[in-house]
Amino acid sequence: MSFSGSRVVLPGDHNRVAGNVFRSGSAPAVHIIGGGSNNRVDHNELTGLSSYGIQIKLSTADPRIAYGNLLDSNYIHDFAQARNNGAEGIQVGQGVVTGNWNTATIIQNNLLSKVSIDSEIISVKGAGAQIIGNTLLALAAQRAELGHLERAEDAAAQLEGVVDALHPGGVLGEVVVAEVRLRGAGRDD
């Protein structure tokens, strides 16, 4: 299915959003809220957005923590220049307040190209996430925001030596980063 200016909001558990095209939206294309857990968002194309691509909203107003969501095999690209903050390709959690909440989110095998407006491509502000096998293209001054890690040096080394791709974001727990491929902006690894 193809959507222009539309989005999917998942407040529940065990849902799947797959095989869609989201175009030209000003709100998150896929928005997991209210502690929505064990959802899968896969094989979607998100393009021309001026807000988040996929956002997992963590809130102190909700006693449930979104847990065990799988974000995989999505093509997120060519975001519009409408905002200067809050337009990450993928965002898990918001700020320091959610930094030690274990989300057990897996972000795997996604292709992200020219998505960031405020220089964050993948922003994880919750603990327990795994970021595996994603490809980031056309980086230009962009970074993956992965939070305050206890072993930030280890995570940076796993980003194939690209230390400037790691930016503190408020995570107090551990985020596992593996097999991230960076391409563009002078990086042809």
Side-chain angles (χ1 to χ4, degrees):
M1 298 182 84
S2 181
F3 302 100
S4 184
S6 296
R7 67 185 193 145
V8 172
V9 179
L10 299 174
D13 302 337
H14 304 285
N15 297 291
R16 184 173 185 195
V17 178
N20 301 292
V21 178
F22 295 92
R23 289 189 176 90
S24 307
S26 59
V30 180
H31 200 186
I32 299 174
I33 63 169
S37 296
N38 300 304
N39 295 297
R40 183 175 181 196
V41 179
D42 64 293
H43 295 93
N44 297 291
E45 179 180 359
L46 294 75
T47 185
L49 304 176
S50 59
S51 183
Y52 307 96
I54 301 169
Q55 181 186 46
I56 298 178
K57 182 78 170 179
L58 303 179
S59 170
T60 56
D62 193 321
R64 291 186 343 137
I65 297 174
Y67 186 85
N69 291 294
L70 173 60
L71 315 175
D72 71 291
S73 307
N74 296 289
Y75 178 34
I76 304 172
H77 64 99
D78 297 302
F79 275 26
Q81 290 286 345
R83 298 171 58 168
N84 60 358
N85 188 22
E88 295 94 24
I90 298 173
Q91 184 194 63
V92 179
Q94 296 70 39
V96 175
V97 101
T98 64
N100 64 348
W101 296 4
N102 184 6
T103 66
T105 300
I106 298 173
I107 302 169
Q108 184 172 14
N109 297 329
N110 296 288
L111 172 59
L112 295 98
S113 174
K114 296 184 259 180
V115 299
S116 181
I117 293 169
D118 70 348
S119 78
E120 298 169 18
I121 302 166
I122 297 173
S123 178
V124 177
K125 297 172 182 122
Q130 295 183 54
I131 301 169
I132 305 165
N134 296 284
T135 300
L136 313 177
L137 301 174
L139 293 176
Q142 298 174 354
R143 65 184 182 259
E145 182 167 309
L146 304 173
H148 295 296
L149 303 176
E150 293 173 11
R151 297 187 329 255
E153 297 81 12
D154 294 343
Q158 291 182 43
L159 284 170
E160 299 178 5
V162 184
V163 177
D164 63 340
L166 181 63
H167 177 74
V171 174
L172 302 175
E174 184 175 346
V175 175
V176 177
V177 181
E179 301 174 31
V180 176
R181 294 176 291 282
L182 304 172
R183 300 200 189 286
R187 296 182 179 117
D188 257 348
D189 301 332

